[in-house]
C-alpha cells in the first residue's frame, strides 16, 4: 500500500457483547479506509458472539481465549497486530465515520507524535442506567484516557509496554500514565473520536470495584515516581493539551 495509507490494526476486545458487536464493526467499516486489519478478541464469552460475527468472518480476524479481563484481551490482540498504527474499539462503542481520517491527518502533520487523542461522546441507550459522575448525566464530549479515543503508533507500545493485566479497570489510564511518564509526544484535539454507549450491562456500573482499581492504578504510578525521581509528568490531566501539539 502507498505510504499515505499505512496499515491500521483495530483491536476489539469483547466479552458477552454480542448484541452490540455488529454495530462496532460496522462503524469501523464505515471509515472506508483501504488498509485495515480488524482483530476481534473474544475473552471467553458465553453468549452468541461467534454467531453474530459470521457475516463478518471474511473481514475480520477472530480469536477466542479464556476470560482474563480487558487488559489481557487487548494484549492478546496487540501480539497479533501487524499495523504501523494501532486503534482500539470497545465492543459496545462505535466510532464516528471520520475518526481514522482525522487522526491520520494529524499524524501526517506531526510525524514525531506517537499518540493522537480526541474526545469521547456518551450516548445513552434505552436500557441505560444513569451513570453518576457527580450524579449527573455526561452530556458534553470529554477528553479522557480511554483507548478508543486514541490512535497510536506501534512504536509507542515498544517504548511503554503492554497493558497491565493486574488491572481489571483503569488499565487504559495506567497505560496513558506510563506514556506521560516516558514523555512521549501526545496530541489532543477538540473532536469526537469515540462514541461510548451507556447501557444496562456496562462494566463501569460497578463503581465500588472501579474505585478499588483506580487506587491501585495511582499507587503503581506513585511507586514508579519514587523509584525514578526524574519523572516530571503530572498525575492525570489532559486539560492543558487540548488543540495543541506538545509533550504530554
Amino acid at each position: 500500500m502507498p505510504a499515505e495509507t499505512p496499515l491500521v490494526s483495530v483491536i476489539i476486545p469483547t466479552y458477552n457483547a454480542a448484541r452490540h458487536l455488529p454495530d462496532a464493526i460496522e462503524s469501523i467499516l464505515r471509515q472506508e479506509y483501504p488498509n485495515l486489519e480488524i482483530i476481534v478478541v473474544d475473552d471467553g464469552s458465553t453468549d452468541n458472539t461467534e454467531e453474530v460475527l459470521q457475516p463478518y468472518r471474511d473481514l475480520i480476524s477472530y480469536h477466542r481465549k479464556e476470560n482474563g479481563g480487558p487488559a489481557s484481551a487487548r494484549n492478546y490482540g496487540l501480539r497479533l497486530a501487524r499495523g504501523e498504527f494501532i486503534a482500539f474499539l470497545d465492543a459496545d462503542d462505535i466510532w464516528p465515520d471520520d475518526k481514522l481520517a482525522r487522526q491520520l491527518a494529524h499524524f501526517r502533520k506531526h510525524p514525531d507524535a506517537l499518540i493522537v487523542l480526541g474526545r469521547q461522546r456518551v450516548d445513552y441507550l434505552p436500557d441505560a442506567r444513569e451513570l453518576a459522575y457527580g450524579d449527573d448525566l455526561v452530556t458534553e464530549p470529554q477528553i479522557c484516557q480511554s483507548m478508543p479515543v486514541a490512535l497510536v503508533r506501534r512504536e509507542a507500545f515498544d517504548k511503554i509496554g503492554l497493558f497491565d493485566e493486574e488491572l481489571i479497570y483503569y488499565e487504559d489510564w495506567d497505560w496513558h500514565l506510563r506514556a506521560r511518564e516516558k514523555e512521549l509526544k501526545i496530541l489532543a484535539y477538540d473532536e469526537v473520536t469515540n462514541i461510548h454507549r451507556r447501557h444496562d450491562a456496562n462494566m463501569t456500573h460497578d463503581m465500588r470495584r472501579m474505585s478499588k482499581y483506580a487506587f491501585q492504578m495511582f499507587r503503581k504510578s506513585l511507586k514508579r515516581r519514587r523509584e525514578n525521581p526524574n519523572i516530571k509528568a503530572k498525575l492525570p490531566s489532559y486539560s492543558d493539551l487540548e488543540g495543541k501539539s506538545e509533550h504530554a
Side-chain angles (χ1 to χ4, degrees):
M1 299 296 291
E4 62 269 18
T5 55
L7 178 62
V8 176
S9 296
V10 185
I11 299 168
I12 306 177
T14 185
Y15 176 70
N16 287 347
R19 60 177 169 150
H20 299 298
L21 190 52
D23 291 341
I25 294 172
E26 290 289 346
S27 77
I28 297 171
L29 298 177
R30 284 196 300 272
Q31 304 296 308
E32 297 185 349
Y33 186 74
N35 199 13
L36 277 177
E37 173 184 57
I38 303 174
I39 301 170
V40 177
V41 180
D42 183 348
D43 194 33
S45 295
T46 58
D47 63 3
N48 62 328
T49 289
E50 289 193 57
E51 178 184 344
V52 302
L53 288 176
Q54 285 302 318
Y56 302 101
R57 292 306 290 268
D58 292 338
L59 301 172
I60 67 172
S61 174
Y62 172 74
H63 303 269
R64 182 176 171 86
K65 61 181 283 297
E66 291 186 7
N67 182 260
S72 172
R74 285 177 172 149
N75 287 342
Y76 193 102
L78 278 167
R79 294 185 182 102
L80 297 169
R82 298 176 293 112
E84 177 184 345
F85 291 92
I86 307 293
F88 293 89
L89 180 58
D90 291 345
D92 48 3
D93 288 355
I94 58 176
W95 281 349
D97 293 352
D98 59 354
K99 173 200 167 73
L100 287 182
R102 284 177 175 269
Q103 293 189 301
L104 286 168
H106 296 317
F107 274 114
R108 284 193 290 270
K109 292 177 182 176
H110 304 281
D112 57 338
L114 293 182
I115 303 168
V116 169
L117 300 174
R119 287 178 176 267
Q120 178 164 277
R121 192 181 84 212
V122 178
D123 282 1
Y124 292 86
L125 301 184
D127 61 353
R129 304 178 199 171
E130 293 189 0
L131 177 65
Y133 289 126
D135 294 325
D136 293 322
L137 295 180
V138 179
T139 58
E140 296 297 326
Q142 304 289 317
I143 288 281
C144 60
Q145 297 182 108
S146 73
M147 297 313 297
V149 303
L151 186 62
V152 182
R153 286 193 191 274
R154 182 57 182 258
E155 180 185 348
F157 290 96
D158 296 335
K159 292 178 179 293
I160 301 168
L162 301 178
F163 296 98
D164 186 341
E165 296 186 16
E166 291 183 357
L167 298 173
I168 302 302
Y169 295 89
Y170 291 107
E171 79 289 345
D172 46 0
W173 281 58
D174 173 77
W175 190 87
H176 279 290
L177 270 176
R178 286 185 278 140
R180 292 167 61 85
E181 292 165 10
K182 293 281 189 180
E183 298 187 65
L184 301 193
K185 188 166 186 176
I186 303 172
L187 309 183
Y189 293 91
D190 187 13
E191 54 198 31
V192 173
T193 56
N194 186 62
I195 300 168
H196 175 60
R197 302 199 296 174
R198 299 298 307 168
H199 54 83
D200 64 354
N202 289 118
M203 282 184 63
T204 46
H205 286 309
D206 191 345
M207 300 299 288
R208 178 176 295 183
R209 198 170 183 219
M210 286 180 65
S211 297
K212 169 189 171 182
Y213 283 101
F215 176 78
Q216 189 173 345
M217 171 198 65
F218 285 117
R219 185 172 60 186
K220 285 172 177 282
S221 180
L222 290 170
K223 182 176 184 292
R224 290 191 297 269
R225 292 161 193 268
R226 291 191 186 104
E227 293 173 349
N228 182 3
N230 293 321
I231 292 176
K232 300 175 183 177
K234 301 174 184 177
L235 285 170
S237 173
Y238 278 109
S239 60
D240 58 339
L241 287 178
E242 297 182 45
K244 295 186 288 186
S245 168
E246 60 178 333
H247 289 289

